[in-house]
Amino acid sequence: MGKLVSTVFVTLDGVYQAPGGPQEDTRGGFEHGGWSHPYGDEDFGRFVGEVFGDVGGFLLGRRTYDIFASFWPKVTDPGDPVAAKLNGLPKYVVSSTLTDPEWAGTTVIGGDLAKEVAALKERTDGELQVHGSGALVRSLLDLELLDTIHVLTFPVVLGAGLRLFTEGTLPTAFRHTGGRVTGAGVSIQSYDTTGRPAYGSYELPDNG
C-alpha cells in the first residue's frame, strides 16, 4: 500500500499561492506570484529529485493540475527526472467539472474523495504524491488520509495570499522525521501525521 505524501511550498506567513510564476494563480488580485523562484539552488533541486525518486502516482487539485498540464508535457527530455515521472506515471485530478483531460495518463476523481483516495493508496506502488494543491491537502488532512508532509518554508513574508492551513483545519499532530536547510535558506522539514494534538500546561501546580 502506498503512502500519501504532500510536498508544499509556503512563505514564513503561511502563503502557498503561486510559488512558481506571476500568472500561476492570481486569485484575489494576488500580485506576488513567483516568490519561490529566487531560492531554487542546487540544494533545492536535489531535494526535488529525491522526492520524485519515490513516486508511484500523482494526486492533484484541479488548479495545480492545469498549471502542470500546461507546462510538463512540453518538457520531453528523457533525462529530466521530474518531467519523466509526471508525464509517464498515473495522474489523478480531483474535479467535478473536468471531463476530458488531454494530458496522457490522467484519471478524473469526481466521486467520494475518501473512498477514491483510499483505493488509490491501496493500489499505488510507491508514494501517491500531492504537489501544491493547498485546498486538496487540507481536505486530505481533514479526512485523515495524509501520511507525510514535506513543508518547504521560504524566507519571505508576503502579507497577502491564500494560506495553507486556514481557520477550521482539523487539529493534527505530527512527528518530525527529518529536515535540512538549503544554501539559499529554504527550510525543508518532513513530518508524519500522528493523530490529534496532545495538550498540557506550563502553569505551576497549585499546592495550596
Side-chain angles (χ1 to χ4, degrees):
M1 176 175 167
K3 283 173 57 176
L4 184 57
V5 179
S6 164
T7 299
V8 291
F9 298 177
V10 295
T11 64
L12 285 174
D13 51 341
V15 174
Y16 74 91
Q17 189 172 357
Q23 300 307 313
E24 199 172 70
D25 181 356
T26 57
R27 280 178 292 173
F30 188 64
E31 298 178 342
H32 304 283
W35 48 265
S36 77
H37 188 266
Y39 306 98
D41 62 5
E42 284 186 17
D43 293 339
F44 177 82
R46 193 175 301 115
F47 174 77
V48 170
E50 290 170 12
V51 167
F52 277 84
D54 296 325
V55 67
F58 299 95
L59 176 65
L60 302 169
R62 175 64 190 275
R63 188 173 297 271
T64 299
Y65 174 81
D66 285 345
I67 292 167
F68 280 19
S70 70
F71 179 79
W72 288 108
K74 300 172 189 167
V75 183
T76 55
D77 174 7
D80 185 313
V82 174
K85 294 291 177 68
L86 278 168
N87 290 320
L89 288 173
K91 291 166 287 289
Y92 306 96
V93 55
V94 178
S95 174
S96 58
T97 55
L98 182 65
T99 53
D100 190 20
E102 294 181 5
W103 195 4
T106 298
T107 302
V108 178
I109 302 292
D112 184 317
L113 186 63
K115 283 184 183 171
E116 299 241 26
V117 173
L120 287 181
K121 287 174 67 173
E122 285 284 347
R123 67 171 186 261
T124 299
D125 184 18
E127 294 180 354
L128 181 61
Q129 293 188 353
V130 184
H131 293 272
S133 311
L136 176 59
V137 170
R138 286 194 299 273
S139 296
L140 295 169
L141 196 65
D142 290 347
L143 292 168
E144 301 184 17
L145 290 167
L146 192 65
D147 298 300
T148 298
I149 186 166
H150 303 300
V151 182
L152 281 69
T153 306
F154 290 74
V156 61
V157 168
L158 300 177
L162 297 171
R163 266 57 173 187
L164 179 61
F165 295 123
T166 54
E167 200 77 23
T169 300
L170 183 71
T172 305
F174 298 85
R175 179 174 61 86
H176 186 246
T177 58
R180 69 189 86 163
V181 179
T182 71
V186 179
S187 175
I188 302 174
Q189 305 298 330
S190 301
Y191 304 92
D192 288 349
T193 54
T194 60
R196 301 288 71 75
Y199 303 95
S201 173
Y202 287 107
E203 292 179 9
L204 293 172
D206 182 0
N207 297 322

